[in-house]
Amino acid sequence: MPRFLSIVRVDETTAPAEGPSPELMQRMGELIEEITKAGVMLDTAGLTPAAQGARVRWEGGKLSVTDGPFTESKEVIGGYALMQCKDKAEAIEWAKRFVKVHEEYWTITCEVREIAEA
């Protein structure tokens, strides 16, 4: 069965400074419990704010390291979910449910990509 990585992109300008609300965390917990019981979720986690991260880049034979925050980026990676689904359509359905547990003021994008098996 194919595996999919859902990369969660967050517009940090729309996210509350105090972090997710308790109601959001409860809805998220319920969804994660459901997707885990369905045998779909293999792993998931949120990430610390981009201000605490770094980007390591290789371009033109030169290495650079940039500490966050990344002011040139509108969206940053906020988390991920590793899922095992029957097909891409099922992975997209779970990603839709994930973004819909957020309040309306959040701007969330899930990029769903199938993992290329060797």
Side-chain angles (χ1 to χ4, degrees):
M1 190 175 290
R3 296 182 301 156
F4 295 86
L5 183 63
S6 178
I7 303 162
V8 182
R9 298 181 186 274
V10 177
D11 180 344
E12 289 186 323
T13 64
T14 65
E18 66 276 8
S21 68
E23 295 81 14
L24 170 58
M25 295 308 294
Q26 181 177 346
R27 291 190 300 272
M28 187 69 66
E30 291 168 357
L31 179 60
I32 289 172
E33 183 177 335
E34 180 183 347
I35 193 171
T36 300
K37 284 182 179 176
V40 170
M41 182 68 74
L42 300 177
D43 190 25
T44 187
L47 302 177
T48 57
Q52 299 172 24
R55 288 183 177 165
V56 179
R57 182 179 178 90
W58 178 256
E59 181 179 22
K62 294 184 179 179
L63 182 69
S64 65
V65 178
T66 306
D67 290 328
F70 311 113
T71 57
E72 73 281 1
S73 299
K74 183 177 181 203
E75 295 178 328
V76 297
I77 306 298
Y80 70 93
L82 180 59
M83 302 179 287
Q84 189 165 13
C85 302
K86 64 181 179 188
D87 54 26
K88 183 178 174 183
E90 181 184 14
I92 290 172
E93 285 303 313
W94 284 111
K96 286 179 179 177
R97 292 190 57 192
F98 170 80
V99 298
K100 288 172 67 176
V101 301
H102 292 77
E103 290 91 355
E104 290 181 5
Y105 51 82
W106 286 84
T107 301
I108 304 287
T109 304
C110 283
E111 181 176 329
V112 177
R113 307 267 303 270
E114 184 172 351
I115 295 174
E117 303 292 346

